Amino acid sequence: MSQSPLIGISAHTLIKSQPIPRYAVQRTYVQAVQQAGGLPVLLPPTIDLATARTLLARLDGLLLSGGGDVAAARYGAPDNPLIRLVDHARDASELALVAAVLRSEKPLLAICRGIQVLNVALGGTLYADIPSQVPGALLHRPKKGQPRDSSVHTVNLVPGSRLATILTAEMVRVNSFHHQSAQQVGRSLVVTAAAPDGVIEGLECPDHSFCLGVQWHPESPIGNQEGMERLFQALVEAARATMS
Ligand code: MN
């Protein structure tokens, strides 16, 4: 019987847990990996490059979870007062994980903040705040009073991309809970999805066996067109294929 692939999930620092600091991952990521047949392994935001390489040698796949903003200095931009919830330890840790996973054959699924970290790791930049920097942008969060996981906008998928192939669609309706997005795309990444306002919603790295980022929250059971679990199934399948 084949063993379940070990899928590392990046955790964040729980700010409201003072006086005892804690690391945490939202349960929906763990559940999505489990439902796809993976064994979740929670990764604290304390990982340097050497540790990331050691971990990636033993994990079978990596999931970058959502969260606060990446510090502007990570992509060479001036600080912006609208940037919030920066976790410097997490930035360093996830950038190391991306560097390590891209040098391995292990698959990566990067969600929300994760797609932004992926882009920055490859030299790309971010819009620090979509509403103030992208003229005519749609709302990328629920309207006031609507639930967090509301269906917010559509996303057009690039035909032939891995993303479109996995989701077997050219357009999907998604939830949206972000105020940042990729701006200049990092080296060796291609855009595979965009909202109707042009905001980048999907990136992948065709040079790698499985490196996929999405700006929405496929792990949430709410607010998305059906079929998002296929992204986690594809991650676990790709991870299984790297197990000897
Ligand atoms: Mn969006």
Side-chain angles (χ1 to χ4, degrees):
M1 198 183 105
S2 66
Q3 289 188 316
S4 300
L6 299 176
I7 307 295
I9 306 177
S10 61
H12 60 273
T13 307
L14 201 60
I15 299 167
K16 290 178 182 166
S17 66
Q18 303 299 339
I20 303 170
R22 292 167 201 252
Y23 301 131
V25 169
Q26 283 174 37
R27 189 171 66 174
T28 43
Y29 296 101
V30 172
Q31 290 171 330
V33 167
Q34 285 175 328
Q35 280 159 14
L39 277 180
V41 178
L42 307 194
L43 305 176
T46 57
I47 296 163
D48 63 14
L49 189 55
T51 310
R53 288 187 179 131
T54 304
L55 277 168
L56 260 303
R58 297 170 74 173
L59 295 171
D60 304 305
L62 179 64
L63 174 64
L64 293 185
S65 62
D69 294 349
V70 177
R74 298 282 181 188
Y75 49 97
D79 200 15
N80 182 316
L82 296 172
I83 291 176
R84 52 187 184 246
L85 299 173
V86 169
D87 180 343
H88 292 286
R90 185 179 184 189
D91 285 355
S93 189
E94 291 183 338
L95 288 167
L97 284 168
V98 171
V101 78
L102 292 180
R103 280 168 185 75
S104 78
E105 78 287 14
K106 309 289 171 71
L108 166 67
L109 177 60
I111 294 175
C112 195
R113 166 191 161 88
I115 188 178
Q116 297 164 13
V117 172
L118 170 64
N119 192 43
V120 170
L122 289 169
T125 64
L126 304 181
Y127 286 115
D129 182 64
I130 295 169
S132 60
Q133 294 182 344
V134 182
L138 296 170
L139 203 58
H140 284 269
R141 55 171 57 245
K143 290 196 184 93
K144 276 203 166 38
Q146 293 293 109
R148 182 184 168 98
D149 289 327
S150 300
S151 185
V152 173
H153 61 71
T154 56
V155 167
N156 297 306
L157 310 179
V158 174
S161 63
R162 186 184 287 272
L163 184 62
T165 304
I166 291 169
L167 294 178
T168 61
E170 289 188 5
M171 190 183 83
V172 287
R173 195 156 180 87
V174 301
N175 57 28
S176 187
F177 203 83
H178 61 108
H179 80 115
Q180 301 201 315
S181 69
Q183 184 176 15
Q184 284 166 18
V185 174
R187 58 188 174 272
S188 79
L189 288 171
V190 296
V191 176
T192 57
D197 57 5
V199 165
I200 292 173
E201 296 270 343
L203 290 171
E204 50 193 78
C205 185
D207 298 341
H208 189 268
S209 58
F210 189 108
C211 166
L212 202 71
V214 295
Q215 186 57 69
W216 67 95
H217 284 279
E219 80 286 358
S220 169
I222 310 166
N224 292 311
Q225 192 162 319
E226 61 184 20
M228 290 301 164
E229 69 282 359
R230 291 187 200 129
L231 286 169
F232 297 91
Q233 290 162 356
L235 171 69
V236 168
E237 213 171 283
R240 199 185 297 281
T242 68
M243 298 166 73
S244 48

